[in-house]
Amino acid sequence: MKIISDKNNLQILHEDNHIIVVNKRVGDIVQGDKTGDKPLSDVVKEYIKDKYNKPGDVFLGVIHRLDRPTTGIVVFARTSKALSRMNELFSNRETKKTYWAVVKNKPVEAAAKLVHYLKRNEKNNTSKAHLKEVPESKLASLDYKIIKELQNYTALEINLHTGRHHQIRAQFSAIGSPIKGDLKYGADRSNPDGGIHLHARKLFFIHPVTKENITIIAPVPDETIWNAV
């Protein structure tokens, strides 16, 4: 997919009057947090303010998030109408999300569905995947297929059925195939940039206002292993 703009460390994949879609890079936080680091939402607001010479505050709605070490598609709303409608699409699972991941230890099956019960640990900000339901756990489901076998790693395409905290990271760790660079979930070493090899590759949804079918594809980071995929 063509990148519309690549200014100010901001790759824009789609932009109209109602929504703006960005290809998040490693280390970006989508929304402000306790670190005090400048969030992606502020960078996008500055871009809009500058491009359209907008006086005063720019409205920008955060619809969903990606983990800080993850890359790929993030959608923001430019109007309150788009925000409420996009929130509805995401909460009703009327969007289709596809991720790419590079994992250590090839999964046993070339394609399969993974179903776990995820329990979140707020203290260390992780989720643990259980095969059976445990108290305060939530059902997590996805399917995957192997798309490429690399020398020491395996590249997967993953379709999410649910959107749980750290779902992909926890589920692949549970089957013994942690994501490359993901120390929190069992990888043996970190990536030089502090990121992990998990990329929100593709998103399909019906536009909240125009009702057009929108398919966004985010280029992978320009990095040796991703380039091999």
Side-chain angles (χ1 to χ4, degrees):
M1 184 166 188
K2 185 184 169 194
I3 295 168
I4 297 171
S5 171
D6 195 355
K7 293 177 183 171
N8 306 328
N9 200 31
L10 195 65
Q11 280 190 4
I12 293 163
L13 303 174
H14 175 94
E15 182 181 355
D16 61 43
N17 292 333
H18 304 282
I19 57 173
I20 184 164
V21 185
V22 173
N23 190 9
K24 184 180 108 54
R25 303 179 193 207
V26 164
D28 289 342
I29 45 168
V30 174
Q31 203 171 18
D33 66 4
K34 63 187 177 190
T35 63
D37 293 342
K38 187 175 185 176
L40 193 54
S41 54
D42 281 3
V43 178
V44 176
K45 279 183 185 178
E46 286 171 7
Y47 163 83
I48 293 168
K49 190 177 177 74
D50 182 51
K51 181 174 179 180
Y52 300 102
N53 296 315
K54 282 188 173 285
D57 289 338
V58 170
F59 177 88
L60 192 77
V62 176
I63 299 160
H64 65 123
R65 296 166 187 78
L66 281 183
D67 300 335
R68 190 164 191 165
T70 305
T71 56
I73 296 166
V74 179
V75 186
F76 295 99
R78 292 190 56 198
T79 62
S80 54
K81 184 202 284 189
L83 177 61
S84 62
R85 291 184 183 176
M86 286 300 291
N87 279 339
E88 217 171 280
L89 286 178
F90 273 84
S91 63
N92 294 338
R93 297 180 196 153
E94 291 172 38
T95 59
K96 190 176 178 196
K97 302 177 198 173
T98 302
Y99 286 77
W100 280 5
V102 176
V103 299
K104 186 82 176 164
N105 306 329
K106 180 180 162 186
V108 175
E109 295 178 82
K113 181 178 180 179
L114 298 184
V115 179
H116 291 93
Y117 290 88
L118 259 56
K119 183 170 180 176
R120 186 170 180 173
N121 182 333
E122 299 280 356
K123 284 184 183 173
N124 63 11
N125 191 34
T126 59
S127 287
K128 185 168 174 60
H130 300 266
L131 289 174
K132 293 184 178 176
E133 193 169 3
V134 299
E136 297 172 28
S137 63
K138 292 180 177 176
L139 180 70
S141 169
L142 60 80
D143 62 63
Y144 74 86
K145 65 179 180 184
I146 292 174
I147 51 174
K148 191 153 190 183
E149 291 185 39
L150 306 167
Q151 195 172 354
N152 297 308
Y153 300 97
T154 304
L156 310 174
E157 184 168 280
I158 300 155
N159 289 307
L160 278 182
H161 308 145
T162 55
R164 306 301 184 201
H165 175 256
H166 290 184
Q167 178 177 338
I168 295 172
R169 299 167 67 180
Q171 287 196 271
F172 281 97
S173 175
I175 65 164
S177 301
I179 292 168
K180 184 181 182 304
D182 199 357
L183 292 178
K184 198 173 250 193
Y185 286 95
D188 51 7
R189 66 181 70 174
S190 59
N191 287 342
D193 61 4
I196 63 174
H197 275 71
L198 178 61
H199 180 71
R201 170 67 174 170
K202 188 174 177 182
L203 179 68
F204 169 82
F205 59 94
I206 295 168
H207 193 285
V209 180
T210 65
K211 304 303 178 191
E212 293 172 83
N213 288 349
I214 304 283
T215 299
I216 311 281
I217 296 174
V220 292
D222 183 12
E223 177 272 342
T224 309
I225 287 179
W226 278 129
N227 290 339
V229 176

